[in-house]
């Protein structure tokens, strides 16, 4: 440990490079971008032809052009996934870190166990997202909407309290997933809510405030509790009072000061009403692909018909009663068991917390699989009907846009397609084969008119055979384009480089027919899984898997700062601050520092990892000097950091938390654009008041329940 406190290491060039790499990595996480990579066209062609030869991708036809670009341009993303990983590989290459840093950053050191934390968080996240997929959150929000009525301030309070209570138990991610979409729909169908700003920002703030109460609600709490060996029940007992008081105080501040505008929160909300026939209509399971047919595309058009469909979404929500009840029981049983075992365990003999959540998640997974298999006939029929509606609507829309008349060729095509639909509907489950519909449609289209190219058929085939897009997890929620390691190649002119791609200049095009390939089989398999096990597919697609490589890479980077002497330097600086300002300064300083670093140190997870190491080094400094830290000052520092890393998610940058990135992407899909400047401008007064109230209450609590006796771990 004495070697870890050696600050003379920071003079070495490897130590300086390590700090620079850490700062650059966090800057890239805050401001992601793409790097263009140029490869020779012949190399790209050889690679793609090889994939085609072994039937990984479809066969490709060569199109001879007079002018061909010499290079292909690829866009490699640098974001919160790739940047920390590249940073670790670079530090390994220059031998700034070695086996010890990688071991401590993955398997764990000093009571911070990344593997245990990630396993616990992912398994608990599956249960929470499965409950969300059952429609329970949307249905409860609908009941709150009914009870709140059309009185604006009362409805605002009911939704505020609902999101706070639910977020306390299941965390902020499920609230972001379902609550954000619900508010987007609600404000869209209201005639006198000019902008949803008040509702969506309040929901995002209260969801993150609520996540500070339970250890299981946020991965940052797991890191903190593990680093300082805090029992879960003890953590909740210390955090519940500052958090609840903050939530109580911040509500009138939001309602009467920040959003004191009747165009944002009207006194009386005017909403459209569903007809009796629409109310009696059976709700559609949104987990089934194309369950609402063309309604999903009409809803995305953001017109009057789309508003009507949004109204149906919130006023006639789908609820899987059995799945919701079973998921709630599993979640409650897991949390109660976890708290009981953690509270009764002896210090130093704790079992990994995922020993409880992993079996619970497996039971929930088995339930979802069994439920999907039992109802597979119904879900497949709904998906097939919806897909036909979407294809017909796209064909009609393209025909209208091109202004073409109904030609005999198109009539023949529609007859062939309708005949195919009838035959497909008559098939039994055992007769369904992967790719049958696509092959049949392609062959009929080509046979009906072999000499003339039909633009309509090409469009339908491209849409039909397009590989299904799996939404980025969790953060598990994020933009798929940012998560992809490489995008489609783009040709560049041999004399001039441009950022746009002219599709007509492509040398190759994929063949839609031909023998099955790995890509086509994967697409058909994914479609089959969506239609057979819709709940499992949706839950897995929303899992926060990108959090795993990011967290592990950040653990390794912070461990590099420890071994290179930078964390001890930060710890000595913190010690000087506390010695000058005392307990009150420790609360204010750590609260301010944690919020700021959430925006500039790799989200709130990276901030928690870094500050936990700094506090551990600070404790070691006092152990070596023989001057102990008082219990009051130590726990004031720890719990003020807990407030800061939870509240800091709604501060100045979306990337302050992965939940913020997920929240922004959901709003964009619902036609609500929240700019970075607006996000910071709205949240600055909210985070300032929240931290001021939370830290003030924490100071009072610390002075009441903690004494000045020396702290001993």
């Amino acid at each position: 440990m004495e070697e870890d406190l050696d600050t003379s290491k920071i003079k070495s060039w490897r130590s300086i490079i390590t700090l620079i790499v850490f700062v650059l990595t966090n800057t890239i996480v805050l401001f992601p971008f793409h790097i263009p990579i140029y490869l020779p066209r012949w190399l790209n062609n050889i690679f793609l032809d090889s994939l085609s030869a072994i039937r990984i991708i479809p066969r490709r036809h060569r199109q001879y052009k007079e002018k061909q670009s010499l290079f292909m341009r690829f866009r490699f993303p640098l974001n919160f996934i790739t940047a920390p990983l590249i940073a670790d590989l670079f530090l390994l290459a220059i031998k700034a870190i070695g086996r010890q840093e990688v071991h401590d950053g993955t398997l764990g050191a000093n009571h911070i166990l990344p593997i245990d934390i990630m396993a616990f968080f992912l398994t608990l996240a599956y249960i929470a997202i499965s409950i969300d997929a059952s429609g329970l959150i949307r249905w409860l929000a609908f009941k709150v909407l009914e009870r709140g009525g059309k009185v604006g301030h009362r409805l605002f309070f009911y939704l505020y309290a609902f999101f706070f209570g639910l977020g306390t138990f299941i965390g902020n991610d499920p609230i972001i997933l379902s609550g954000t979409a619900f508010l987007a729909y609600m404000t869209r169908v209201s005639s006198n809510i000019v902008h949803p700003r008040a509702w969506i920002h309040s929901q995002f703030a209260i969801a993150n405030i609520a996540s500070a109460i339970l250890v299981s609600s946020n991965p940052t709490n797991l890191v903190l509790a593990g680093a300082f060996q805090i029992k879960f029940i003890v953590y909740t007992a210390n955090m519940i009072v500052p958090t609840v008081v903050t939530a109580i105080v911040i509500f009138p501040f939001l309602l009467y000061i920040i959003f004191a505008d009747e165009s944002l929160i009207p006194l009386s909300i005017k909403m459209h009403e569903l007809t009796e026939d629409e109310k009696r209509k059976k709700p559609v399971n949104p987990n089934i692909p194309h369950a609402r047919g063309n309604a999903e595309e009409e809803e995305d058009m953001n017109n009057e018909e789309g508003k009507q469909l949004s109204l149906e979404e919130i006023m006639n929500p789908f609820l899987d009663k059995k799945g919701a009840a079973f998921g709630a029981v599993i979640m409650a049983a897991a949390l109660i068991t976890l708290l009981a075992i953690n509270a009764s365990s002896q210090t130093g003999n704790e079992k990994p917390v995922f020993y409880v959540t992993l079996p619970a998640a497996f039971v929930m997974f088995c339930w979802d699989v069994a439920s999907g298999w039992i109802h597979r006939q119904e879900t497949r029929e709904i998906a097939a009907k919806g897909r036909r509606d979407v294809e017909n609507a796209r064909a009609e829309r393209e025909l209208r846009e091109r202004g073409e008349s109904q030609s005999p060729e198109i009539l023949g095509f529609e007859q062939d397609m309708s005949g195919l639909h009838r035959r497909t509907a008559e098939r039994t489950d055992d007769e369904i084969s992967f790719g049958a519909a696509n092959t049949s449609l392609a062959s009929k289209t080509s046979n009906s008119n072999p000499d003339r190219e039909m633009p309509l058929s090409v469009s339908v085939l491209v849409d039909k055979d397009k590989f299904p897009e799996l939404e980025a997890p969790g953060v598990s929620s994020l933009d798929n384009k940012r998560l992809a390691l490489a995008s489609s190649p783009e040709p560049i002119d041999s004399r001039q480089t441009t950022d746009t791609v002219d599709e007509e200049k492509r040398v190759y095009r994929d063949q839609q027919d031909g023998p099955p390939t790995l890509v086509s089989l994967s697409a058909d398999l994914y479609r089959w899984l969506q239609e057979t096990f819709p709940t499992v597919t949706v839950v897995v697609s929303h899992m926060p898997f990108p959090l795993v490589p990011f967290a592990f890479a950040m653990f390794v980077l912070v461990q590099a700062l420890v071994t290179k002497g930078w964390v001890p330097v930060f710890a000595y600086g913190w010690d000087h601050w506390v010695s000058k300002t005392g307990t009150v300064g420790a609360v204010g300083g750590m609260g301010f520092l944690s919020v700021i670093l959430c925006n500039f140190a790799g989200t709130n997870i990276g901030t928690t990892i870094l500050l936990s190491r700094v506090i551990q080094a600070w404790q070691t400094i006092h152990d070596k000097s023989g001057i102990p830290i008082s219990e009051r000052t130590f726990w004031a520092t720890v719990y003020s950091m807990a407030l800061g890393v939870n509240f800091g998610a709604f501060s100045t940058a979306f990337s302050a938390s992965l939940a913020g990135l997920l929240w922004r992407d959901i709003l964009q899909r619902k036609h609500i654009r929240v700019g970075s400047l607006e996000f910071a401008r709205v949240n600055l007064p909210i985070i300032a008041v929240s931290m001021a109230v939370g830290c003030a209450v924490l100071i009072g609590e610390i002075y009441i329940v903690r004494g000045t006796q020396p702290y001993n771990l």
Side-chain angles (χ1 to χ4, degrees), residues 145 148-157 159 183 185-194 199 262-273 314:
L145 181 62
K150 298 181 180 180
V151 181
H153 289 190
R154 183 174 62 188
L155 178 60
F156 184 79
F157 169 73
L159 288 174
L183 292 177
Y185 289 140
M186 187 196 77
T187 55
R188 184 180 181 184
V189 299
S190 172
S191 59
N192 61 338
I193 296 180
V194 177
W199 305 84
E262 194 168 343
S263 64
L264 300 177
I265 307 177
L267 295 176
S268 177
I269 298 179
K270 300 177 182 178
M271 298 186 65
H272 301 286
E273 298 289 342
I314 64 172

mmCIF file of all heavy atoms in Angstrom, residues 145 148-157 159 183 185-194 199 262-273 314:
data_model
loop_
_atom_site.group_PDB
_atom_site.id
_atom_site.type_symbol
_atom_site.label_atom_id
_atom_site.label_comp_id
_atom_site.label_asym_id
_atom_site.label_seq_id
_atom_site.Cartn_x
_atom_site.Cartn_y
_atom_site.Cartn_z
ATOM 1 N N LEU A 145 -52.959 8.799 -14.853
ATOM 2 C CA LEU A 145 -53.540 9.815 -15.730
ATOM 3 C C LEU A 145 -55.050 9.909 -15.529
ATOM 4 O O LEU A 145 -55.625 11.002 -15.490
ATOM 5 C CB LEU A 145 -53.215 9.479 -17.185
ATOM 6 C CG LEU A 145 -53.731 10.442 -18.259
ATOM 7 C CD1 LEU A 145 -53.121 11.825 -18.070
ATOM 8 C CD2 LEU A 145 -53.408 9.904 -19.648
ATOM 9 N N GLY A 148 -55.621 11.557 -12.113
ATOM 10 C CA GLY A 148 -55.275 12.973 -12.125
ATOM 11 C C GLY A 148 -56.279 13.816 -12.872
ATOM 12 O O GLY A 148 -56.393 15.022 -12.620
ATOM 13 N N GLY A 149 -56.984 13.173 -13.797
ATOM 14 C CA GLY A 149 -57.992 13.905 -14.542
ATOM 15 C C GLY A 149 -57.386 14.966 -15.439
ATOM 16 O O GLY A 149 -56.270 14.836 -15.937
ATOM 17 N N LYS A 150 -58.112 16.040 -15.619
ATOM 18 C CA LYS A 150 -57.682 17.107 -16.512
ATOM 19 C C LYS A 150 -57.143 18.322 -15.766
ATOM 20 O O LYS A 150 -56.912 19.364 -16.376
ATOM 21 C CB LYS A 150 -58.850 17.516 -17.411
ATOM 22 C CG LYS A 150 -59.347 16.385 -18.309
ATOM 23 C CD LYS A 150 -60.487 16.838 -19.191
ATOM 24 C CE LYS A 150 -60.967 15.703 -20.089
ATOM 25 N NZ LYS A 150 -62.088 16.124 -20.963
ATOM 26 N N VAL A 151 -56.957 18.191 -14.457
ATOM 27 C CA VAL A 151 -56.378 19.283 -13.669
ATOM 28 C C VAL A 151 -54.859 19.199 -13.801
ATOM 29 O O VAL A 151 -54.238 18.235 -13.343
ATOM 30 C CB VAL A 151 -56.803 19.194 -12.195
ATOM 31 C CG1 VAL A 151 -56.207 20.351 -11.403
ATOM 32 C CG2 VAL A 151 -58.321 19.182 -12.088
ATOM 33 N N GLY A 152 -54.257 20.198 -14.427
ATOM 34 C CA GLY A 152 -52.854 20.123 -14.790
ATOM 35 C C GLY A 152 -51.912 19.943 -13.620
ATOM 36 O O GLY A 152 -51.053 19.054 -13.626
ATOM 37 N N HIS A 153 -52.036 20.777 -12.581
ATOM 38 C CA HIS A 153 -51.112 20.709 -11.453
ATOM 39 C C HIS A 153 -51.272 19.411 -10.671
ATOM 40 O O HIS A 153 -50.287 18.846 -10.193
ATOM 41 C CB HIS A 153 -51.329 21.908 -10.529
ATOM 42 C CG HIS A 153 -50.863 23.195 -11.127
ATOM 43 N ND1 HIS A 153 -50.777 24.366 -10.415
ATOM 44 C CD2 HIS A 153 -50.446 23.503 -12.382
ATOM 45 C CE1 HIS A 153 -50.337 25.337 -11.193
ATOM 46 N NE2 HIS A 153 -50.140 24.831 -12.400
ATOM 47 N N ARG A 154 -52.504 18.936 -10.554
ATOM 48 C CA ARG A 154 -52.717 17.681 -9.841
ATOM 49 C C ARG A 154 -52.125 16.506 -10.618
ATOM 50 O O ARG A 154 -51.488 15.618 -10.037
ATOM 51 C CB ARG A 154 -54.214 17.460 -9.612
ATOM 52 C CG ARG A 154 -54.530 16.201 -8.805
ATOM 53 C CD ARG A 154 -56.003 16.117 -8.490
ATOM 54 N NE ARG A 154 -56.815 16.021 -9.703
ATOM 55 C CZ ARG A 154 -58.140 16.083 -9.714
ATOM 56 N NH1 ARG A 154 -58.804 16.283 -8.584
ATOM 57 N NH2 ARG A 154 -58.809 15.980 -10.848
ATOM 58 N N LEU A 155 -52.305 16.504 -11.926
ATOM 59 C CA LEU A 155 -51.735 15.439 -12.741
ATOM 60 C C LEU A 155 -50.211 15.477 -12.693
ATOM 61 O O LEU A 155 -49.553 14.429 -12.626
ATOM 62 C CB LEU A 155 -52.221 15.572 -14.185
ATOM 63 C CG LEU A 155 -51.671 14.544 -15.178
ATOM 64 C CD1 LEU A 155 -52.040 13.127 -14.747
ATOM 65 C CD2 LEU A 155 -52.188 14.825 -16.584
ATOM 66 N N PHE A 156 -49.639 16.678 -12.708
ATOM 67 C CA PHE A 156 -48.186 16.810 -12.622
ATOM 68 C C PHE A 156 -47.672 16.215 -11.310
ATOM 69 O O PHE A 156 -46.655 15.510 -11.288
ATOM 70 C CB PHE A 156 -47.803 18.291 -12.726
ATOM 71 C CG PHE A 156 -46.320 18.544 -12.755
ATOM 72 C CD1 PHE A 156 -45.595 18.370 -13.916
ATOM 73 C CD2 PHE A 156 -45.656 18.958 -11.611
ATOM 74 C CE1 PHE A 156 -44.230 18.603 -13.946
ATOM 75 C CE2 PHE A 156 -44.295 19.195 -11.624
ATOM 76 C CZ PHE A 156 -43.578 19.020 -12.798
ATOM 77 N N PHE A 157 -48.383 16.467 -10.223
ATOM 78 C CA PHE A 157 -47.978 15.911 -8.923
ATOM 79 C C PHE A 157 -48.118 14.393 -8.901
ATOM 80 O O PHE A 157 -47.231 13.684 -8.411
ATOM 81 C CB PHE A 157 -48.816 16.525 -7.804
ATOM 82 C CG PHE A 157 -48.638 15.827 -6.484
ATOM 83 C CD1 PHE A 157 -47.474 15.985 -5.750
ATOM 84 C CD2 PHE A 157 -49.637 14.992 -5.986
ATOM 85 C CE1 PHE A 157 -47.304 15.329 -4.533
ATOM 86 C CE2 PHE A 157 -49.475 14.338 -4.776
ATOM 87 C CZ PHE A 157 -48.302 14.508 -4.052
ATOM 88 N N LEU A 159 -48.033 12.233 -11.390
ATOM 89 C CA LEU A 159 -46.991 11.603 -12.200
ATOM 90 C C LEU A 159 -45.624 11.736 -11.533
ATOM 91 O O LEU A 159 -44.807 10.809 -11.581
ATOM 92 C CB LEU A 159 -46.961 12.234 -13.598
ATOM 93 C CG LEU A 159 -48.134 11.884 -14.515
ATOM 94 C CD1 LEU A 159 -48.063 12.693 -15.806
ATOM 95 C CD2 LEU A 159 -48.151 10.395 -14.829
ATOM 96 N N LEU A 183 -44.959 10.052 -21.632
ATOM 97 C CA LEU A 183 -45.096 11.508 -21.561
ATOM 98 C C LEU A 183 -45.066 12.136 -22.949
ATOM 99 O O LEU A 183 -45.757 13.132 -23.205
ATOM 100 C CB LEU A 183 -43.979 12.087 -20.695
ATOM 101 C CG LEU A 183 -44.047 11.753 -19.202
ATOM 102 C CD1 LEU A 183 -42.842 12.327 -18.476
ATOM 103 C CD2 LEU A 183 -45.338 12.287 -18.585
ATOM 104 N N TYR A 185 -46.234 10.778 -25.675
ATOM 105 C CA TYR A 185 -47.574 10.562 -26.226
ATOM 106 C C TYR A 185 -48.593 11.497 -25.569
ATOM 107 O O TYR A 185 -49.440 12.092 -26.238
ATOM 108 C CB TYR A 185 -48.006 9.111 -26.011
ATOM 109 C CG TYR A 185 -47.280 8.104 -26.864
ATOM 110 C CD1 TYR A 185 -46.895 6.877 -26.342
ATOM 111 C CD2 TYR A 185 -46.989 8.374 -28.190
ATOM 112 C CE1 TYR A 185 -46.239 5.938 -27.125
ATOM 113 C CE2 TYR A 185 -46.331 7.451 -28.978
ATOM 114 C CZ TYR A 185 -45.958 6.232 -28.442
ATOM 115 O OH TYR A 185 -45.311 5.321 -29.214
ATOM 116 N N MET A 186 -48.522 11.605 -24.243
ATOM 117 C CA MET A 186 -49.512 12.399 -23.509
ATOM 118 C C MET A 186 -49.477 13.863 -23.928
ATOM 119 O O MET A 186 -50.517 14.480 -24.184
ATOM 120 C CB MET A 186 -49.262 12.274 -22.007
ATOM 121 C CG MET A 186 -50.330 12.932 -21.146
ATOM 122 S SD MET A 186 -49.812 13.189 -19.441
ATOM 123 C CE MET A 186 -48.747 14.625 -19.641
ATOM 124 N N THR A 187 -48.279 14.435 -23.989
ATOM 125 C CA THR A 187 -48.176 15.844 -24.372
ATOM 126 C C THR A 187 -48.508 16.052 -25.842
ATOM 127 O O THR A 187 -48.929 17.141 -26.242
ATOM 128 C CB THR A 187 -46.761 16.361 -24.084
ATOM 129 O OG1 THR A 187 -45.789 15.522 -24.741
ATOM 130 C CG2 THR A 187 -46.475 16.352 -22.592
ATOM 131 N N ARG A 188 -48.338 15.016 -26.632
ATOM 132 C CA ARG A 188 -48.626 15.134 -28.061
ATOM 133 C C ARG A 188 -50.124 15.224 -28.324
ATOM 134 O O ARG A 188 -50.564 15.952 -29.223
ATOM 135 C CB ARG A 188 -48.031 13.924 -28.787
ATOM 136 C CG ARG A 188 -48.168 13.956 -30.299
ATOM 137 C CD ARG A 188 -47.545 12.700 -30.886
ATOM 138 N NE ARG A 188 -47.629 12.668 -32.334
ATOM 139 C CZ ARG A 188 -47.224 11.648 -33.081
ATOM 140 N NH1 ARG A 188 -46.702 10.588 -32.500
ATOM 141 N NH2 ARG A 188 -47.329 11.682 -34.393
ATOM 142 N N VAL A 189 -50.922 14.490 -27.555
ATOM 143 C CA VAL A 189 -52.363 14.463 -27.799
ATOM 144 C C VAL A 189 -53.097 15.534 -27.003
ATOM 145 O O VAL A 189 -54.319 15.607 -27.056
ATOM 146 C CB VAL A 189 -52.945 13.071 -27.458
ATOM 147 C CG1 VAL A 189 -52.306 12.006 -28.319
ATOM 148 C CG2 VAL A 189 -52.762 12.744 -25.987
ATOM 149 N N SER A 190 -52.362 16.344 -26.248
ATOM 150 C CA SER A 190 -52.990 17.454 -25.539
ATOM 151 C C SER A 190 -52.976 18.685 -26.434
ATOM 152 O O SER A 190 -51.965 19.005 -27.058
ATOM 153 C CB SER A 190 -52.243 17.742 -24.233
ATOM 154 O OG SER A 190 -52.725 18.916 -23.635
ATOM 155 N N SER A 191 -54.095 19.386 -26.468
ATOM 156 C CA SER A 191 -54.205 20.530 -27.367
ATOM 157 C C SER A 191 -53.642 21.814 -26.777
ATOM 158 O O SER A 191 -53.405 22.773 -27.512
ATOM 159 C CB SER A 191 -55.677 20.752 -27.739
ATOM 160 O OG SER A 191 -56.451 20.989 -26.573
ATOM 161 N N ASN A 192 -53.418 21.868 -25.463
ATOM 162 C CA ASN A 192 -52.938 23.120 -24.870
ATOM 163 C C ASN A 192 -51.622 22.973 -24.115
ATOM 164 O O ASN A 192 -51.248 23.854 -23.361
ATOM 165 C CB ASN A 192 -54.003 23.726 -23.950
ATOM 166 C CG ASN A 192 -54.369 22.806 -22.799
ATOM 167 O OD1 ASN A 192 -54.166 21.596 -22.868
ATOM 168 N ND2 ASN A 192 -54.906 23.381 -21.738
ATOM 169 N N ILE A 193 -50.909 21.857 -24.284
ATOM 170 C CA ILE A 193 -49.526 21.756 -23.810
ATOM 171 C C ILE A 193 -48.634 22.082 -25.000
ATOM 172 O O ILE A 193 -48.484 21.285 -25.927
ATOM 173 C CB ILE A 193 -49.210 20.357 -23.250
ATOM 174 C CG1 ILE A 193 -50.067 20.067 -22.016
ATOM 175 C CG2 ILE A 193 -47.731 20.256 -22.879
ATOM 176 C CD1 ILE A 193 -49.806 18.700 -21.397
ATOM 177 N N VAL A 194 -48.074 23.280 -24.980
ATOM 178 C CA VAL A 194 -47.319 23.762 -26.132
ATOM 179 C C VAL A 194 -46.029 22.979 -26.314
ATOM 180 O O VAL A 194 -45.642 22.639 -27.426
ATOM 181 C CB VAL A 194 -47.020 25.268 -25.979
ATOM 182 C CG1 VAL A 194 -46.176 25.773 -27.143
ATOM 183 C CG2 VAL A 194 -48.318 26.053 -25.874
ATOM 184 N N TRP A 199 -42.625 18.353 -18.439
ATOM 185 C CA TRP A 199 -42.952 16.978 -18.072
ATOM 186 C C TRP A 199 -41.751 16.052 -18.236
ATOM 187 O O TRP A 199 -41.466 15.230 -17.357
ATOM 188 C CB TRP A 199 -44.128 16.490 -18.916
ATOM 189 C CG TRP A 199 -45.319 17.377 -18.818
ATOM 190 C CD1 TRP A 199 -45.564 18.521 -19.534
ATOM 191 C CD2 TRP A 199 -46.433 17.236 -17.926
ATOM 192 N NE1 TRP A 199 -46.751 19.088 -19.157
ATOM 193 C CE2 TRP A 199 -47.317 18.318 -18.175
ATOM 194 C CE3 TRP A 199 -46.782 16.295 -16.961
ATOM 195 C CZ2 TRP A 199 -48.506 18.477 -17.486
ATOM 196 C CZ3 TRP A 199 -47.974 16.447 -16.274
ATOM 197 C CH2 TRP A 199 -48.823 17.526 -16.531
ATOM 198 N N GLU A 262 -48.151 28.528 -18.056
ATOM 199 C CA GLU A 262 -49.362 27.745 -18.304
ATOM 200 C C GLU A 262 -49.308 27.007 -19.632
ATOM 201 O O GLU A 262 -50.031 26.030 -19.829
ATOM 202 C CB GLU A 262 -50.592 28.658 -18.268
ATOM 203 C CG GLU A 262 -51.899 27.890 -18.179
ATOM 204 C CD GLU A 262 -53.080 28.781 -17.864
ATOM 205 O OE1 GLU A 262 -52.848 29.914 -17.398
ATOM 206 O OE2 GLU A 262 -54.215 28.336 -18.078
ATOM 207 N N SER A 263 -48.446 27.441 -20.541
ATOM 208 C CA SER A 263 -48.302 26.708 -21.794
ATOM 209 C C SER A 263 -47.532 25.406 -21.598
ATOM 210 O O SER A 263 -47.600 24.511 -22.441
ATOM 211 C CB SER A 263 -47.589 27.574 -22.831
ATOM 212 O OG SER A 263 -46.264 27.861 -22.421
ATOM 213 N N LEU A 264 -46.788 25.297 -20.487
ATOM 214 C CA LEU A 264 -46.051 24.075 -20.177
ATOM 215 C C LEU A 264 -46.854 23.161 -19.263
ATOM 216 O O LEU A 264 -46.951 21.950 -19.503
ATOM 217 C CB LEU A 264 -44.704 24.422 -19.527
ATOM 218 C CG LEU A 264 -43.750 25.282 -20.362
ATOM 219 C CD1 LEU A 264 -42.495 25.610 -19.568
ATOM 220 C CD2 LEU A 264 -43.387 24.574 -21.665
ATOM 221 N N ILE A 265 -47.402 23.721 -18.191
ATOM 222 C CA ILE A 265 -48.250 22.948 -17.273
ATOM 223 C C ILE A 265 -49.561 23.719 -17.123
ATOM 224 O O ILE A 265 -49.704 24.565 -16.234
ATOM 225 C CB ILE A 265 -47.574 22.753 -15.904
ATOM 226 C CG1 ILE A 265 -46.171 22.169 -16.065
ATOM 227 C CG2 ILE A 265 -48.421 21.834 -15.017
ATOM 228 C CD1 ILE A 265 -45.421 22.009 -14.756
ATOM 229 N N PRO A 266 -50.533 23.468 -17.981
ATOM 230 C CA PRO A 266 -51.794 24.215 -17.922
ATOM 231 C C PRO A 266 -52.580 23.896 -16.651
ATOM 232 O O PRO A 266 -52.436 22.823 -16.059
ATOM 233 C CB PRO A 266 -52.546 23.738 -19.170
ATOM 234 C CG PRO A 266 -51.528 23.054 -20.019
ATOM 235 C CD PRO A 266 -50.494 22.518 -19.093
ATOM 236 N N LEU A 267 -53.407 24.842 -16.247
ATOM 237 C CA LEU A 267 -54.290 24.586 -15.114
ATOM 238 C C LEU A 267 -55.309 23.510 -15.456
ATOM 239 O O LEU A 267 -55.686 22.700 -14.603
ATOM 240 C CB LEU A 267 -55.008 25.883 -14.705
ATOM 241 C CG LEU A 267 -54.109 27.000 -14.162
ATOM 242 C CD1 LEU A 267 -54.935 28.248 -13.886
ATOM 243 C CD2 LEU A 267 -53.394 26.539 -12.898
ATOM 244 N N SER A 268 -55.751 23.507 -16.700
ATOM 245 C CA SER A 268 -56.686 22.491 -17.168
ATOM 246 C C SER A 268 -56.155 21.928 -18.478
ATOM 247 O O SER A 268 -55.913 22.676 -19.426
ATOM 248 C CB SER A 268 -58.080 23.085 -17.376
ATOM 249 O OG SER A 268 -58.964 22.115 -17.894
ATOM 250 N N ILE A 269 -55.952 20.619 -18.511
ATOM 251 C CA ILE A 269 -55.390 19.973 -19.694
ATOM 252 C C ILE A 269 -56.524 19.497 -20.595
ATOM 253 O O ILE A 269 -57.441 18.798 -20.147
ATOM 254 C CB ILE A 269 -54.493 18.784 -19.293
ATOM 255 C CG1 ILE A 269 -53.314 19.279 -18.466
ATOM 256 C CG2 ILE A 269 -53.993 18.045 -20.525
ATOM 257 C CD1 ILE A 269 -52.388 18.180 -18.000
ATOM 258 N N LYS A 270 -56.462 19.901 -21.844
ATOM 259 C CA LYS A 270 -57.469 19.499 -22.817
ATOM 260 C C LYS A 270 -56.897 18.370 -23.663
ATOM 261 O O LYS A 270 -55.944 18.564 -24.411
ATOM 262 C CB LYS A 270 -57.846 20.685 -23.708
ATOM 263 C CG LYS A 270 -58.417 21.871 -22.942
ATOM 264 C CD LYS A 270 -58.692 23.041 -23.866
ATOM 265 C CE LYS A 270 -59.209 24.248 -23.088
ATOM 266 N NZ LYS A 270 -59.428 25.416 -23.976
ATOM 267 N N MET A 271 -57.485 17.194 -23.513
ATOM 268 C CA MET A 271 -57.007 16.031 -24.244
ATOM 269 C C MET A 271 -58.127 15.459 -25.092
ATOM 270 O O MET A 271 -59.311 15.559 -24.746
ATOM 271 C CB MET A 271 -56.482 14.956 -23.281
ATOM 272 C CG MET A 271 -55.290 15.408 -22.457
ATOM 273 S SD MET A 271 -54.583 14.083 -21.476
ATOM 274 C CE MET A 271 -53.987 13.004 -22.760
ATOM 275 N N HIS A 272 -57.745 14.878 -26.208
ATOM 276 C CA HIS A 272 -58.723 14.226 -27.067
ATOM 277 C C HIS A 272 -59.256 12.974 -26.369
ATOM 278 O O HIS A 272 -58.598 12.382 -25.520
ATOM 279 C CB HIS A 272 -58.084 13.860 -28.405
ATOM 280 C CG HIS A 272 -57.528 15.042 -29.141
ATOM 281 N ND1 HIS A 272 -58.318 15.964 -29.780
ATOM 282 C CD2 HIS A 272 -56.246 15.454 -29.319
ATOM 283 C CE1 HIS A 272 -57.558 16.892 -30.333
ATOM 284 N NE2 HIS A 272 -56.290 16.603 -30.070
ATOM 285 N N GLU A 273 -60.441 12.578 -26.739
ATOM 286 C CA GLU A 273 -61.082 11.422 -26.129
ATOM 287 C C GLU A 273 -61.233 10.305 -27.150
ATOM 288 O O GLU A 273 -61.424 10.549 -28.342
ATOM 289 C CB GLU A 273 -62.461 11.801 -25.567
ATOM 290 C CG GLU A 273 -62.421 12.845 -24.464
ATOM 291 C CD GLU A 273 -61.847 12.303 -23.172
ATOM 292 O OE1 GLU A 273 -61.798 11.063 -23.024
ATOM 293 O OE2 GLU A 273 -61.451 13.115 -22.318
ATOM 294 N N ILE A 314 -51.828 5.486 -25.165
ATOM 295 C CA ILE A 314 -51.816 5.798 -23.734
ATOM 296 C C ILE A 314 -53.169 5.565 -23.069
ATOM 297 O O ILE A 314 -53.225 5.282 -21.870
ATOM 298 C CB ILE A 314 -51.366 7.256 -23.493
ATOM 299 C CG1 ILE A 314 -52.364 8.242 -24.090
ATOM 300 C CG2 ILE A 314 -49.983 7.501 -24.030
ATOM 301 C CD1 ILE A 314 -52.082 9.682 -23.719
#
